[in-house]
Amino acid sequence: MALRPNLKPDEMLLQVTDEAGKIRWADVFGNDRPVELEIGAGKGTFLLAIAQALPEHNYVGIEWAKAYAEFAADRLRRHGAANARIVHGEAAWWVRCHVPDESLAAVHVYFPDPWPKTRHHKRRLIQVPFLKEVHRILAAGGKLRLVTDHADYFAHMREALAGQTDLRVIPFDSPVALRADAPAGSIVGTNFERKYIAEGRTFFATAAQKP
Ligand SMILES: C[S@@+](CC[C@H](N)C(=O)[O-])C[C@H]1O[C@@H](n2cnc3c(N)ncnc32)[C@H](O)[C@@H]1O
């Protein structure tokens, strides 16, 4: 029987002081493997699945809700997912302060909060300044993957992406083999995807690549 690494919950919850500046992923993971980032990781369902399916990459999930971040960190610990970490924080701020230039192989954003009211659109994560940050942190060839159930937010994402000539829009490809129990219609295997499939919602997906 394979032994799980002896991981403590705190080790899965990545703590970075405000003064730390840009972090070195090799210091976090103890190796130089490619790193992928998920924003709005929720309870860590996608992060755990992809970390287990693709152990040759490292994974970081950022989650704003403390209870979810702690739940996800404990889940990673219970499954011995030594190649994944959770950050409890606000993604746009954390990325700007702590993620080094050209250091990521992929950025995943699945079912981000749509903020449907017009007066709240400015709170949407996918905006031009955020896409500029994505361009900064992706390594050459790195991909941004976006999925939403919200048609208006999807139109807003496409419009924002269309203005970014240094990110090339490409067809969406599923980032990971889905779990055997994923319902028909799954493309990323997150909790919200499962819930929305049950409700019969339509999904919209796009991706972009840094040349
Ligand atoms: C609709 S849920 C989707 C969760 C997960 N991606 C899924 O598909 O099951 C959106 C998640 O993003 C988190 N979130 C929203 N804005 C965020 C931000 N600016 N930074 C980090 N997490 C954020 C929320 O707390 C919530 O857990």
Side-chain angles (χ1 to χ4, degrees), residues 65-207:
K66 190 163 186 274
Y68 284 170
E70 288 175 349
F71 180 94
D74 187 58
R75 194 174 193 184
L76 296 175
R77 177 195 61 80
R78 282 187 278 115
H79 289 269
N83 60 330
R85 297 288 185 281
I86 293 285
V87 169
H88 168 229
E90 197 286 308
W93 181 87
W94 202 89
V95 163
R96 208 167 48 244
C97 294
H98 298 305
V99 178
D101 294 359
E102 309 203 332
S103 67
L104 298 179
V107 175
H108 307 265
V109 188
Y110 301 136
F111 302 96
D113 294 336
W115 296 107
K117 291 183 182 160
T118 306
R119 71 175 188 279
H120 291 155
H121 283 182
K122 56 182 177 294
R123 298 185 189 174
R124 288 175 168 174
L125 178 71
I126 310 302
Q127 312 268 4
V128 169
F130 177 75
L131 292 177
K132 289 189 186 305
E133 277 295 285
V134 169
H135 178 265
R136 178 185 71 76
I137 61 180
L138 280 177
K143 289 180 183 175
L144 167 68
R145 289 191 177 89
L146 302 171
V147 181
T148 180
D149 61 304
H150 199 275
D152 178 70
Y153 194 8
F154 187 62
H156 172 107
M157 289 175 182
R158 300 214 331 168
E159 197 181 312
L161 271 173
Q164 300 307 299
T165 49
D166 44 13
L167 282 174
R168 192 166 53 90
V169 176
I170 56 170
F172 183 89
D173 58 326
S174 192
V176 63
L178 295 162
R179 286 165 44 136
D181 65 353
S186 299
I187 46 180
V188 285
T190 68
N191 281 15
F192 271 71
E193 183 185 71
R194 184 176 284 265
K195 185 172 121 184
Y196 292 158
I197 286 172
E199 293 173 8
R201 297 198 198 186
T202 302
F203 298 151
F204 307 93
T206 189

